[in-house]
């Protein structure tokens, strides 16, 4: 996280070319992280020093100058308007926070209790929303904890989700950080969230594939009505406080599965497979996506490569 300000600055100054808008999520551990984030945003904004001096009122030979609010929308007489604060270069930015569903993981990961996490994030969420940045909240170890075992209480997860939504979270990402989650446990968790009043459209599911259950749990979630899922190209990821946990479900595998069901993802499997092959090679890690490896093999054959 120490280099996140440099990544943000680079993203703002040299945004990637994309035919579609990109939403960036910035994980902020505390209010200090938010302060750094807002400083970079303000420094990069043409509106950082306030509104520019408006042009002088047009001179008219007779009668008062026209009210700009009644002028044509493209009139040059209209005063400039500041852009939405979470939009830069056609792309948008969101704030992400994280807390845990078990006390043991919370203390290991953030050195505080669950309630202390909620208390810490309350002002951060309020300021983020005041500045126009949507907030996404992650609930870690929702389907199993490395310190308390695989039976995380689904009612505790639901209680946290409700509290976070009441605090102003725009979306809750329910994370199986350890990959311990199973189909029955996922089904029970989603049922408990629904009974607590949490809507499907307020949820995303975040599965790790440590035990090979990520796509199975995705199917359970789809049947429940969930339509937002986190993933990582090449199956990258993991957690230093969850020994043995592998990365997120691979984007390539998830896209291949969803396309097989007739879903429209807007993601080109060939292109995301190329990205997965490139980034895993750059950082020296094995490509954890079966669909990605198979797609790259096909692309090499089609190109006449060995």
């Amino acid at each position: 996280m120490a280099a996140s300000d440099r990544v943000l600055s680079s993203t703002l100054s040299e945004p990637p070319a994309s035919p579609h808008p990109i939403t960036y999520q910035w994980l902020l551990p505390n209010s200090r992280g938010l302060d750094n984030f807002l400083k970079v945003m303000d420094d990069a904004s043409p509106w950082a020093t306030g509104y520019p001096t408006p042009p002088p009122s047009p001179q008219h030979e007779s009668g008062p100058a026209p009210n700009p609010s009644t002028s044509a929308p493209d009139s040059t007489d209209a005063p400039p308007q500041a852009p939405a604060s979470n939009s830069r270069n056609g792309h948008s930015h969101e704030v992400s926070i994280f807390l845990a569903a078990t006390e043991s993981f919370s203390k290991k990961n953030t050195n505080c209790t669950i309630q202390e996490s909620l208390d810490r994030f309350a002002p951060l969420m309020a300021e983020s929303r005041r500045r126009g940045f949507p907030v996404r909240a992650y609930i870690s170890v929702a389907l199993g904890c490395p310190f308390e075992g695989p039976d995380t209480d689904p009612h505790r997860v639901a209680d946290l989700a409700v509290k976070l939504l009441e605090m102003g979270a725009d979306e809750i990402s329910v994370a199986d950080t350890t990959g311990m989650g199973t189909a029955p446990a996922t089904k029970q968790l989603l049922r408990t969230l629904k009974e607590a009043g949490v809507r499907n459209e307020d949820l995303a599911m975040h599965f790790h594939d440590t035990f090979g259950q990520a796509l199975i749990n995705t199917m359970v979630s789809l049947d429940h009505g969930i339509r937002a899922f986190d993933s990582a190209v090449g199956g990258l990821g993991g957690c230093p406080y969850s020994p043995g946990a592998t990365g997120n479900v691979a984007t390539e595998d998830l896209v291949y599965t969803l396309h097989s069901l007739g879903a429209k993802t807007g993601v080109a499997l060939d292109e995301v497979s190329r990205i997965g092959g490139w980034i895993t090679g750059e950082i020296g890690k094995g490509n954890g996506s079966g669909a990605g490896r198979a797609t790259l093999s096909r692309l090499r054959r089609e190109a006449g490569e060995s």
Side-chain angles (χ1 to χ4, degrees):
M1 293 182 184
S4 60
D5 56 341
R6 296 197 296 273
V7 176
L8 174 57
S9 295
S10 176
T11 301
L12 294 171
S13 61
E14 300 179 23
S18 172
H20 306 290
I22 299 172
T23 298
Y24 293 94
Q25 293 178 356
W26 302 97
L27 192 62
L28 306 180
N30 47 42
S31 293
R32 181 179 178 182
L34 176 65
D35 291 342
N36 292 337
F37 169 79
L38 293 176
K39 182 180 186 304
V40 174
M41 278 291 187
D42 288 343
D43 289 347
S45 171
W47 305 88
T49 57
Y51 291 97
T53 302
S57 299
Q59 299 298 315
H60 296 268
E61 293 183 0
S62 62
N67 184 342
S69 65
T70 61
S71 302
D74 58 351
S75 169
T76 57
D77 291 340
Q81 297 294 316
S85 60
N86 71 328
S87 178
R88 298 289 190 280
N89 300 309
H91 305 311
S92 59
H93 298 264
E94 298 180 354
V95 166
S96 295
I97 63 171
F98 60 93
L99 68 164
T102 68
E103 292 291 355
S104 298
F105 195 85
S106 181
K107 291 172 183 175
K108 287 283 187 179
N109 196 27
T110 60
N111 197 33
C112 65
T113 66
I114 294 173
Q115 185 57 52
E116 287 169 342
S117 286
L118 290 168
D119 294 341
R120 289 180 183 181
F121 284 129
L124 185 155
M125 294 171 70
E127 179 63 13
S128 297
R129 290 179 59 81
R130 189 186 73 81
R131 293 289 298 267
F133 293 99
V135 177
R136 189 185 216 228
Y138 290 81
I139 302 177
S140 302
V141 295
L143 284 161
C145 172
F147 309 108
E148 298 187 17
D151 299 320
T152 300
D153 184 357
H155 295 91
R156 175 177 286 181
V157 178
D159 180 60
L160 282 173
V162 169
K163 287 180 179 177
L164 288 164
L165 290 168
E166 290 175 345
M167 290 166 62
D170 295 277
E171 184 178 53
I172 306 295
S173 180
V174 180
D176 181 17
T177 312
T178 62
M180 293 179 182
T182 62
T186 300
K187 186 174 182 178
Q188 178 60 46
L189 174 58
L190 291 170
R191 184 185 300 119
T192 303
L193 285 162
K194 182 178 181 180
E195 291 171 351
V198 180
R199 305 178 305 167
N200 285 343
E201 51 265 42
D202 292 328
L203 292 174
M205 301 305 290
H206 180 111
F207 294 117
H208 286 242
D209 206 30
T210 310
F211 292 91
Q213 301 299 295
L215 287 176
I216 296 172
N217 294 334
T218 297
M219 297 295 290
V220 171
S221 303
L222 281 169
D223 286 344
H224 187 82
I226 304 298
R227 293 296 181 266
F229 298 90
D230 298 341
S231 64
V233 292
L236 295 175
C239 177
Y241 295 100
S242 181
T246 59
N248 294 90
V249 61
T251 303
E252 303 93 315
D253 296 349
L254 181 61
V255 169
Y256 182 84
T257 299
L258 293 174
H259 286 182
S260 75
L261 299 173
K264 306 295 184 182
T265 66
V267 178
L269 179 59
D270 287 3
E271 296 306 315
V272 78
S273 296
R274 289 188 176 100
I275 294 170
W278 167 77
I279 188 61
T280 52
E282 286 291 307
I283 64 177
K285 294 197 69 172
N287 189 336
S289 170
R293 295 193 304 272
T295 300
L296 290 173
S297 178
R298 172 179 59 78
L299 291 172
R300 286 192 292 268
R301 291 196 305 272
E302 292 174 352
E305 301 175 10
S306 57

